[in-house]
Amino acid sequence: MLEEAEREHRCAIGGINDSLYYALRRRVDSLELVCPYPNLYASSQYWNSLTLDERQHHVVGALMLRHPKWTFAGLTAACIYGFQHSYSLHDGTVHIASTGAVTGRDHKRLHRIYMSGIPQWQCRGIPVTSPARTLVDCASLPFSHALAIYDSALRMRRVTDGDIRTIALTSGCDEDPVLRLLRYADPGSENGGESVTRGRIIECGFAVPSLQVEFDNPNNPDMRYRVDYCWRLYDGRIIAAEYDGMAKYADVSNMNRASLQAKLDYERRRERHLKEQHVSVVHLFYEDVMNPERLTAKLMDAGVPKIQ
């Protein structure tokens, strides 16, 4: 049963009879198996080899068989669509659309999102709410995390601003979070980490930066330098911010990649060339982004203007 489930890229479904149920539970107790959702199972070794997105797909794949009438919604649908989002949002909850009242009889890992009519689509053979409806429901997430999903969906061209506004107006949901996200969403953001960082910058009350601004590279005019965030101030100053993930420097496992020293040399040279163009650069790390006080202090020290 477990091998068949792995071949089908889903969790195994237990509970067919008492002896099978107890056999599975014994293996969970001995840590041979994991139970990521009630009555769904996977080999611990296999489960640990999966990414968080893959784990979500395995749970959904099994639930499709158990509940063929379900339509997945919210963060679960966003994951199925492949919209970039923070892994920290995953807590094992599965989100589905529902036209009925929430009764409280569901397991705590199941979250029903009420809607009078379910706009059902198919993605990878999985029934999900439409991209626009999915984004409207994701507006309930913390702003910076929801912004990453909106940026990604717009970047992938799975949905338009108008699609989202229409659903927000006709669904009876709280429009304010949706409209705020649409105000700041930008498909020019290259990845989820940059989107979350921009969201945090906005939440801290700083001016909205321009994204992926280019500057001259005197060593190679055809390969211009791009900065993640840029502010051009009225007094002529230019401030750039870079979101630095450590993998950018530390991954030297592939021998075809430049050496760590070469990467560091390139970054020093790049920063010197930017300074020669009167661009001051501030580097933001994950710890800064997750701490509003640290992020505010760093941006204020760099001279980034506040708007509120």
Side-chain angles (χ1 to χ4, degrees), residues 4-300:
E4 180 183 6
E6 289 181 16
R7 285 195 299 271
E8 295 179 2
H9 304 289
R10 60 171 175 83
C11 292
I13 303 170
I16 299 173
N17 54 59
D18 286 345
S19 61
L20 175 61
Y21 174 80
Y22 288 115
L24 290 166
R25 293 309 309 178
R26 283 196 302 273
R27 285 164 174 79
V28 171
D29 292 340
S30 68
L31 305 182
E32 181 183 342
L33 301 182
V34 296
C35 180
Y37 190 88
N39 214 25
L40 300 186
Y41 303 90
S43 155
S44 297
Q45 182 177 6
Y46 176 71
W47 187 254
N48 291 334
S49 72
L50 302 175
T51 66
L52 284 174
D53 275 347
E54 290 170 338
R55 292 176 182 180
Q56 183 84 339
H57 278 82
H58 276 60
V59 170
V60 167
L63 290 176
M64 280 177 55
L65 298 179
R66 285 181 58 184
H67 306 281
K69 293 184 179 181
W70 278 7
T71 299
F72 297 93
L75 182 62
T76 303
C79 182
I80 293 166
Y81 278 120
F83 300 154
Q84 288 196 357
H85 58 279
S86 173
Y87 284 166
S88 65
L89 297 174
H90 287 287
D91 60 1
T93 301
V94 173
H95 306 265
I96 64 170
S98 177
T99 56
V102 178
T103 64
R105 293 196 298 267
D106 291 324
H107 190 274
K108 63 182 180 180
R109 289 189 181 178
L110 180 66
H111 176 229
R112 294 179 186 267
I113 301 174
Y114 173 78
M115 49 191 77
S116 57
I118 301 174
Q120 189 183 91
W121 285 41
Q122 289 275 329
C123 181
R124 308 180 191 180
I126 300 171
V128 290
T129 51
S130 67
R133 177 69 212 211
T134 298
L135 290 176
V136 166
D137 293 327
C138 286
S140 62
L141 296 169
F143 172 76
S144 59
H145 291 298
L147 186 64
I149 296 173
Y150 274 59
D151 285 352
S152 177
L154 293 171
R155 184 168 61 248
M156 293 170 65
R157 299 183 180 180
R158 295 300 299 263
V159 68
T160 67
D161 180 292
D163 295 335
I164 303 167
R165 289 180 187 274
T166 299
I167 292 293
L169 288 169
T170 59
S171 65
C173 71
D174 182 1
E175 298 171 34
D176 290 343
V178 177
L179 296 178
R180 185 184 183 216
L181 285 160
L182 288 175
R183 176 185 174 190
Y184 292 112
D186 190 332
S189 181
E190 289 196 331
N191 57 63
E194 290 183 8
S195 294
V196 169
T197 300
R198 188 173 89 262
R200 295 282 187 168
I201 290 170
I202 293 168
E203 287 180 307
C204 289
F206 290 94
V208 180
S210 300
L211 303 182
Q212 306 303 325
V213 176
E214 294 188 343
F215 294 93
D216 291 337
N217 177 352
N219 285 359
N220 189 344
D222 293 331
M223 296 290 290
R224 289 164 62 81
Y225 295 129
R226 286 196 299 171
V227 297
D228 296 335
Y229 317 101
C230 183
W231 294 266
R232 295 181 183 270
L233 308 188
Y234 288 113
D235 59 9
R237 286 181 297 149
I238 303 173
I239 302 170
E242 296 276 71
Y243 177 65
D244 292 331
M246 288 312 295
K248 178 178 177 180
Y249 303 107
D251 183 7
V252 292
S253 59
N254 186 337
M255 297 305 293
N256 292 323
R257 294 176 182 264
S259 68
L260 176 59
Q261 186 60 51
K263 291 181 180 180
L264 294 174
D265 289 344
Y266 170 80
E267 290 298 326
R268 294 191 190 100
R269 185 168 59 252
R270 176 180 184 272
E271 194 148 331
R272 186 179 71 250
H273 288 158
L274 290 173
K275 286 181 179 178
E276 290 170 354
Q277 297 173 66
H278 310 290
V279 180
S280 60
V281 181
V282 56
H283 293 272
L284 305 175
F285 299 94
Y286 177 81
E287 293 78 10
D288 301 320
V289 173
M290 293 298 108
N291 187 315
E293 291 77 16
R294 283 181 57 165
L295 180 61
T296 296
K298 226 171 186 183
L299 293 176
M300 291 194 73

